[in-house]
Amino acid sequence: MILIHCPYCDEKRPEIEFANAGQAHVARPLDPSSQSDEEWEAYLFIRANPRGRHHERWRHVHGCGRFFNAVRDTVTDKFETTYKAGEPRR
Amino acid sequence: MTHHSAFSLFAKALGGHKDWPEQWPDAAPKPAYDAIIVGGGGHGLGAAYYLAKKYGITNVAVLEKGWIGGGNTGRNTTIIRSNYLYDESAHLYDHAVKLWDGLSQELNYNVMYSKRGVMMLAHNVHDVQSLQRHINANRLNGVDNEWLTPQQAKDYCPPLNISPDARHPVLGAALQRRGGTARHDSVAWGYARAAAALGVDIIQNCAVTAIRRGADGAVEGVETTRGPIATKRIGVSAAGNTSVVMQMAGLDFPLESYPLQALVSEPVKPTFPCVVMSNTVHAYMSQSDKGELVIGAGTDQYVSYSQRGALHIIEHTLAAICEIFPIYRRMRMLRTWGGIVDVTPDRSPILGKTPVKGLYVNCGWGTGGFKATPGAGDLLAYTMAKDEPHRINAPFNLDRFRNGRLIDEAAAAAVAH
């Protein structure tokens, strides 16, 4: 089982304590009514889905309950780093 | 290509099965083709076969980065059904089920399609209402599906536990009798052999590394690990790796790739006569002709290309199986594996044209692509030959994520998402 470092608890905990919450740094449009269909499509549906380095959100559901961001390699599933929500993209 | 028949099998058996010729040649890439299919799974090989057979386009290459049928075609649980809720889906999947009928004769290769019935269990009031709605919708679309009482379900599948005291009591079931299983490797091999006999080049160990485009943006060919190949038409049927291939043409797709695990038990005598699925307890099972129980469930939770998954997903699946079928509690499991499935936001496939001229796509089948193999191949071939989608796959276009005409198919997986 994968061990994931929670940046809030500052502990490595087993994967079953966490829930994946999809791609990270997908920002909701600040002015929704000005968005075109193409921009809504990109925000709602288009995902990076990279083969390699991937930024994603996780939630420590069975721990502190907080969301954080992670960088993981999607070929090896190895975590490169985790960092708190709101911190710049790594 | 030598014709297979009962007599030829018998003659080979007398010779100790020692002198079987290769079923199709291992081709090397030529400098140019009329059409290229990226991905040598059942869908891609099927598309090449129908391009040659129905539309007379025989100068075709299938490029496979690994070996034929070594991706999701060889990693699924071989279930075939068409009991989908929406009209568009019912037409799409039933088109495939109609082609499964007679596929062995058409390919002159036994794909072992067995109409043993697919039974979906209802464990609570919501399940009962939802499955009965599916049954009614299916019948309106000419897709067979019927309601069974718990005792009828038990009669159809004797290992089922219908005790009212069970953790997840069985309140009834929906049965599609035309549903069943097929031998997945045979499907890939049968299509490969039949396509090669019509002149299609089947090229293994040949990964596409770039898509070349002309000044007008139209495709002009591909770069591969075995050299450049020119073509005006490319059909991408690359399952979990579709996002990667599409990015070579500068297209971002509404796809995410997840591992989907499956497992088989040690082989035992025939005990399990049909396919049983349960959305609520999240598992499905059948028994292969070799005797293994073939078991599957939902995807792992994060994007991955690793072709393996986490053990706790397997534990969850087997806990559900043991609850519904107590007779298998002491059964030992033999192998587990994972395949990478490409999932769309509405759980329906994308099958049609792309914004790039000459580039066609067949992807997004998620956890349920095997059942659609003949239909997806046929429709991708039609779309590539005519440069427009068939009316069956027209609703499954890429534009639906922009104009909002989603096909939000909750039945797309056998298990709840």
Side-chain angles (χ1 to χ4, degrees), chain B residues 34-367:
Chain B
D34 292 340
I36 282 177
I37 306 286
V38 180
H43 287 220
L45 294 164
Y49 169 73
Y50 291 114
L51 271 175
K53 177 83 179 177
K54 283 189 165 179
Y55 306 107
I57 303 171
T58 56
N59 187 22
V60 175
V62 178
L63 307 182
E64 165 55 48
K65 77 180 162 77
W67 66 96
I68 293 303
N72 292 352
T73 296
R75 293 166 188 267
N76 57 68
T77 48
T78 78
I79 296 167
I80 295 167
R81 62 187 175 90
S82 59
N83 50 355
Y84 283 67
L85 181 63
Y86 292 113
D87 296 352
E88 297 90 342
S89 316
H91 294 151
L92 180 67
Y93 289 94
D94 214 48
H95 177 63
V97 170
K98 285 171 185 158
L99 288 172
W100 279 111
D101 247 338
L103 189 62
S104 295
Q105 286 73 23
E106 171 161 7
L107 300 179
N108 183 228
Y109 204 88
N110 189 2
V111 301
M112 297 163 78
Y113 172 38
S114 155
K115 283 184 257 191
R116 58 185 66 184
V118 171
M119 195 162 80
M120 293 181 149
L121 302 179
H123 297 289
N124 52 47
V125 174
H126 171 78
D127 283 353
V128 172
Q129 292 171 343
S130 161
L131 286 181
Q132 290 189 341
R133 183 184 173 208
H134 275 75
I135 290 172
N136 294 332
N138 289 160
R139 287 184 165 188
L140 284 172
N141 279 316
V143 176
D144 73 303
N145 204 349
E146 64 192 88
W147 181 253
L148 301 184
T149 63
Q151 188 56 50
Q152 286 172 323
K154 173 90 176 164
D155 292 344
Y156 197 77
C157 182
L160 189 63
N161 175 20
I162 57 166
S163 161
D165 302 329
R167 167 74 182 81
H168 299 285
V170 174
L171 303 186
L175 174 66
Q176 184 180 21
R177 291 183 190 269
R178 285 194 306 150
T181 59
R183 170 88 200 279
H184 48 196
D185 299 319
S186 283
V187 178
W189 299 336
Y191 272 125
R193 173 174 168 272
L198 295 169
V200 172
D201 277 358
I202 303 202
I203 302 161
Q204 304 184 89
N205 299 311
C206 181
V208 172
T209 53
I211 292 176
R212 284 208 316 258
R213 294 169 65 183
D216 60 347
V219 299
E220 289 195 333
V222 292
E223 305 283 338
T224 75
T225 49
R226 295 176 69 174
I229 307 173
T231 189
K232 297 282 186 199
R233 271 184 285 210
I234 302 173
V236 177
S237 193
N241 283 294
T242 303
S243 290
V244 177
V245 178
M246 282 303 163
Q247 265 156 15
M248 296 172 191
L251 297 176
D252 289 323
F253 256 56
L255 290 173
E256 288 190 298
S257 298
Y258 296 96
L260 176 65
Q261 297 187 77
L263 60 156
V264 293
S265 72
E266 58 190 344
V268 291
K269 285 186 176 178
T271 57
F272 200 77
C274 60
V275 181
V276 174
M277 306 180 147
S278 167
N279 285 352
T280 301
V281 300
H282 225 234
Y284 44 87
M285 183 160 84
S286 62
Q287 188 172 17
S288 74
D289 291 343
K290 276 189 288 185
E292 304 151 323
L293 297 177
V294 184
I295 297 168
T299 63
D300 278 50
Q301 62 166 337
Y302 45 78
V303 168
S304 177
Y305 290 81
S306 63
Q307 291 194 319
R308 57 188 139 79
L311 186 64
H312 63 92
I313 305 284
I314 300 271
E315 288 176 335
H316 178 81
T317 306
L318 288 176
I321 292 292
C322 290
E323 185 60 49
I324 312 173
F325 305 105
I327 70 164
Y328 298 128
R329 279 189 181 162
R330 295 172 70 187
M331 185 78 94
R332 287 170 296 190
M333 293 299 135
L334 200 62
R335 293 182 288 127
T336 79
W337 64 91
I340 303 304
V341 299
D342 44 329
V343 178
T344 58
D346 63 357
R347 315 285 166 189
S348 288
I350 302 167
L351 177 45
K353 298 171 73 169
T354 70
V356 174
K357 185 167 165 46
L359 185 64
Y360 307 86
V361 71
N362 166 45
C363 69
W365 291 93
T367 57

